[in-house]
Amino acid sequence: MRAYIIALVASLALFAGQAHAQRCLPGMRGIEVKANLADGFRPGGNDGGYSFGAALSTYTKKGNKWVFGGEYLMKDNPYKGTKIPMAQFTAEGGYYFKILSDARKIVYLYAGASALAGYETVNWGDRMLYDGSTLWDRDAFVYGGALTLDMEIYVADRIALLVNLRERCLWGGDTRKFHTQWGAGIKFVIN
Protein backbone atom coordinates (compact mmCIF):
# COMPACT_ATOMS: atom_id res chain seq x y z
CA MET A 1 0.00 0.00 0.00
CA ARG A 2 2.83 2.36 0.87
CA ALA A 3 4.52 1.79 -2.50
CA TYR A 4 1.21 2.50 -4.23
CA ILE A 5 0.86 5.90 -2.47
CA ILE A 6 4.46 6.87 -3.29
CA ALA A 7 3.92 5.98 -6.97
CA LEU A 8 0.68 8.00 -7.04
CA VAL A 9 2.32 11.10 -5.48
CA ALA A 10 5.31 10.82 -7.85
CA SER A 11 3.08 10.57 -10.94
CA LEU A 12 1.00 13.57 -9.81
CA ALA A 13 4.17 15.57 -9.31
CA LEU A 14 5.28 14.75 -12.85
CA PHE A 15 2.00 15.72 -14.52
CA ALA A 16 0.87 18.59 -12.27
CA GLY A 17 3.09 21.31 -13.72
CA GLN A 18 5.32 22.01 -16.63
CA ALA A 19 9.08 22.31 -16.42
CA HIS A 20 10.42 25.57 -17.85
CA ALA A 21 13.94 26.02 -19.16
CA GLN A 22 16.27 27.94 -16.95
CA ARG A 23 17.16 31.33 -18.39
CA CYS A 24 19.79 33.99 -17.71
CA LEU A 25 22.09 31.68 -15.74
CA PRO A 26 25.65 32.87 -15.04
CA GLY A 27 27.88 32.09 -18.00
CA MET A 28 25.09 31.76 -20.59
CA ARG A 29 25.80 33.64 -23.81
CA GLY A 30 23.61 35.01 -26.55
CA ILE A 31 24.03 36.71 -29.90
CA GLU A 32 21.85 39.80 -30.41
CA VAL A 33 20.99 41.41 -33.74
CA LYS A 34 19.16 44.78 -33.63
CA ALA A 35 17.73 47.37 -36.00
CA ASN A 36 16.85 50.85 -34.72
CA LEU A 37 15.45 54.15 -35.89
CA ALA A 38 17.56 57.13 -34.84
CA ASP A 39 16.46 60.69 -34.13
CA GLY A 40 12.85 60.20 -35.22
CA PHE A 41 11.08 59.00 -38.30
CA ARG A 42 8.87 61.07 -40.58
CA PRO A 43 7.25 59.17 -43.49
CA GLY A 44 6.88 62.30 -45.63
CA GLY A 45 10.57 63.21 -45.49
CA ASN A 46 12.83 61.45 -43.06
CA ASP A 47 15.60 63.55 -41.59
CA GLY A 48 16.09 60.84 -38.97
CA GLY A 49 18.31 57.87 -39.44
CA TYR A 50 18.71 54.19 -38.73
CA SER A 51 21.20 51.83 -37.16
CA PHE A 52 22.08 48.15 -37.25
CA GLY A 53 24.02 46.33 -34.60
CA ALA A 54 25.19 42.95 -33.36
CA ALA A 55 26.41 42.03 -29.90
CA LEU A 56 27.47 39.16 -27.68
CA SER A 57 25.84 39.17 -24.24
CA THR A 58 27.06 37.14 -21.27
CA TYR A 59 24.91 36.73 -18.16
CA THR A 60 26.28 37.22 -14.66
CA LYS A 61 24.79 36.66 -11.22
CA LYS A 62 21.19 37.78 -10.58
CA GLY A 63 20.39 37.88 -14.30
CA ASN A 64 22.54 40.94 -15.10
CA LYS A 65 24.58 40.89 -18.31
CA TRP A 66 27.70 42.17 -20.03
CA VAL A 67 27.23 43.29 -23.64
CA PHE A 68 30.01 43.65 -26.23
CA GLY A 69 29.23 44.53 -29.84
CA GLY A 70 29.34 46.86 -32.79
CA GLU A 71 26.91 49.24 -34.44
CA TYR A 72 26.50 51.15 -37.69
CA LEU A 73 24.44 54.38 -37.53
CA MET A 74 23.44 56.29 -40.68
CA LYS A 75 21.76 59.70 -40.68
CA ASP A 76 20.99 62.06 -43.56
CA ASN A 77 21.25 65.77 -42.79
CA PRO A 78 19.16 68.08 -45.04
CA TYR A 79 21.01 70.62 -47.20
CA LYS A 80 19.37 72.74 -49.94
CA GLY A 81 16.93 70.09 -51.11
CA THR A 82 19.45 67.23 -50.85
CA LYS A 83 20.89 65.25 -48.00
CA ILE A 84 24.40 64.95 -46.62
CA PRO A 85 25.07 61.50 -45.16
CA MET A 86 26.72 61.03 -41.76
CA ALA A 87 27.76 57.54 -40.66
CA GLN A 88 29.18 56.26 -37.39
CA PHE A 89 30.87 52.91 -36.86
CA THR A 90 31.14 52.19 -33.13
CA ALA A 91 32.20 49.41 -30.78
CA GLU A 92 30.37 48.99 -27.48
CA GLY A 93 31.10 47.48 -24.10
CA GLY A 94 28.58 47.78 -21.30
CA TYR A 95 26.85 46.34 -18.26
CA TYR A 96 23.07 45.95 -17.99
CA PHE A 97 21.21 45.52 -14.69
CA LYS A 98 18.04 43.42 -14.54
CA ILE A 99 15.41 45.70 -13.04
CA LEU A 100 12.29 43.59 -13.63
CA SER A 101 11.21 40.09 -14.66
CA ASP A 102 7.99 38.15 -14.48
CA ALA A 103 7.50 35.01 -12.37
CA ARG A 104 7.66 32.67 -15.39
CA LYS A 105 10.95 34.21 -16.60
CA ILE A 106 9.58 35.17 -20.00
CA VAL A 107 9.96 38.97 -19.90
CA TYR A 108 13.07 40.77 -18.62
CA LEU A 109 13.66 44.53 -18.41
CA TYR A 110 17.22 45.84 -18.23
CA ALA A 111 18.80 49.27 -17.67
CA GLY A 112 22.37 49.60 -18.85
CA ALA A 113 25.29 51.89 -19.48
CA SER A 114 27.88 51.38 -22.21
CA ALA A 115 31.15 52.90 -23.35
CA LEU A 116 31.33 53.62 -27.09
CA ALA A 117 34.28 54.32 -29.38
CA GLY A 118 34.51 54.41 -33.14
CA TYR A 119 34.76 56.46 -36.31
CA GLU A 120 32.45 59.07 -37.84
CA THR A 121 32.43 60.06 -41.49
CA VAL A 122 30.54 62.96 -43.06
CA ASN A 123 29.62 62.74 -46.77
CA TRP A 124 31.92 59.70 -46.97
CA GLY A 125 34.99 61.92 -46.67
CA ASP A 126 34.14 64.16 -49.64
CA ARG A 127 34.35 67.75 -48.38
CA MET A 128 33.26 69.38 -51.66
CA LEU A 129 29.49 69.53 -52.21
CA TYR A 130 27.63 69.55 -55.54
CA ASP A 131 27.16 73.35 -55.45
CA GLY A 132 30.83 74.13 -54.80
CA SER A 133 30.44 74.60 -51.04
CA THR A 134 33.00 73.10 -48.69
CA LEU A 135 32.02 71.09 -45.63
CA TRP A 136 33.62 72.15 -42.37
CA ASP A 137 32.66 68.87 -40.71
CA ARG A 138 35.49 66.38 -40.90
CA ASP A 139 35.80 62.66 -40.40
CA ALA A 140 36.96 61.87 -36.87
CA PHE A 141 37.34 59.29 -34.15
CA VAL A 142 34.46 59.52 -31.68
CA TYR A 143 34.05 58.34 -28.09
CA GLY A 144 31.37 58.51 -25.45
CA GLY A 145 28.62 56.41 -23.95
CA ALA A 146 25.03 55.25 -24.11
CA LEU A 147 22.20 54.71 -21.64
CA THR A 148 19.83 51.90 -22.61
CA LEU A 149 16.49 50.39 -21.60
CA ASP A 150 16.31 46.88 -23.04
CA MET A 151 13.47 44.34 -22.90
CA GLU A 152 13.85 40.63 -23.68
CA ILE A 153 10.73 38.57 -24.41
CA TYR A 154 11.43 34.84 -24.70
CA VAL A 155 9.37 33.11 -27.41
CA ALA A 156 11.29 29.83 -27.08
CA ASP A 157 13.92 28.43 -24.75
CA ARG A 158 16.78 29.86 -26.81
CA ILE A 159 15.12 32.68 -28.79
CA ALA A 160 14.10 36.08 -27.45
CA LEU A 161 12.62 39.15 -29.09
CA LEU A 162 14.27 42.45 -28.12
CA VAL A 163 12.85 45.95 -27.76
CA ASN A 164 15.15 48.82 -26.85
CA LEU A 165 15.36 52.55 -26.25
CA ARG A 166 18.75 54.24 -25.95
CA GLU A 167 20.42 57.63 -25.86
CA ARG A 168 23.92 57.88 -27.33
CA CYS A 169 26.31 60.73 -26.62
CA LEU A 170 29.56 60.90 -28.61
CA TRP A 171 32.32 63.52 -28.55
CA GLY A 172 35.22 64.06 -30.91
CA GLY A 173 33.22 64.52 -34.10
CA ASP A 174 31.90 67.70 -35.70
CA THR A 175 28.26 66.61 -35.98
CA ARG A 176 25.44 66.25 -33.50
CA LYS A 177 26.48 64.75 -30.15
CA PHE A 178 23.23 63.11 -28.99
CA HIS A 179 21.24 60.45 -30.86
CA THR A 180 18.04 58.85 -29.57
CA GLN A 181 17.42 55.34 -30.87
CA TRP A 182 14.51 52.91 -30.54
CA GLY A 183 14.00 49.61 -32.22
CA ALA A 184 13.73 45.85 -32.11
CA GLY A 185 15.86 42.78 -32.55
CA ILE A 186 16.27 39.09 -31.92
CA LYS A 187 18.54 37.16 -29.58
CA PHE A 188 19.79 33.57 -29.93
CA VAL A 189 21.13 31.88 -26.79
CA ILE A 190 24.15 29.85 -27.87
CA ASN A 191 25.04 28.00 -24.62
Side-chain angles (χ1 to χ4, degrees):
M1 179 72 166
R2 188 176 201 181
Y4 178 72
I5 293 172
I6 291 173
L8 180 65
V9 169
S11 63
L12 286 175
L14 287 175
F15 297 113
Q18 294 179 341
H20 296 285
Q22 295 184 358
R23 297 184 177 130
C24 303
L25 296 175
M28 288 181 79
R29 291 190 175 108
I31 295 175
E32 303 177 1
V33 179
K34 296 180 183 177
N36 294 315
L37 294 176
D39 301 324
F41 179 74
R42 294 169 191 83
N46 186 18
D47 61 348
Y50 58 88
S51 67
F52 297 104
L56 174 69
S57 60
T58 303
Y59 291 100
T60 64
K61 293 180 181 179
K62 299 181 184 177
N64 300 331
K65 63 181 178 176
W66 285 99
V67 176
F68 300 98
E71 190 172 64
Y72 166 72
L73 181 133
M74 179 68 177
K75 179 168 172 46
D76 290 326
N77 297 304
Y79 174 77
K80 293 185 180 179
T82 64
K83 297 178 181 177
I84 299 172
M86 182 278 303
Q88 292 177 342
F89 303 89
T90 53
E92 170 186 2
Y95 194 76
Y96 290 54
F97 292 96
K98 180 182 77 171
I99 58 176
L100 183 66
S101 70
D102 67 332
R104 295 186 60 196
K105 305 295 185 196
I106 295 174
V107 178
Y108 290 86
L109 182 64
Y110 292 93
S114 303
L116 300 173
Y119 191 74
E120 175 182 85
T121 180
V122 180
N123 204 28
W124 302 108
D126 187 10
R127 297 193 60 208
M128 185 66 67
L129 297 178
Y130 72 94
D131 63 355
S133 300
T134 302
L135 276 175
W136 288 97
D137 295 340
R138 297 175 184 236
D139 295 355
F141 288 98
V142 292
Y143 57 92
L147 297 175
T148 306
L149 280 176
D150 194 28
M151 182 182 287
E152 294 181 359
I153 304 163
Y154 280 86
V155 294
D157 290 339
R158 296 190 170 268
I159 300 172
L161 299 178
L162 306 172
V163 178
N164 65 60
L165 172 68
R166 72 187 301 175
E167 183 69 29
R168 293 169 36 131
C169 180
L170 295 173
W171 296 279
D174 290 332
T175 63
R176 193 170 161 189
K177 306 290 184 235
F178 292 93
H179 295 282
T180 303
Q181 299 172 277
W182 55 276
I186 191 164
K187 177 179 197 167
F188 300 100
V189 177
I190 56 176
N191 72 345

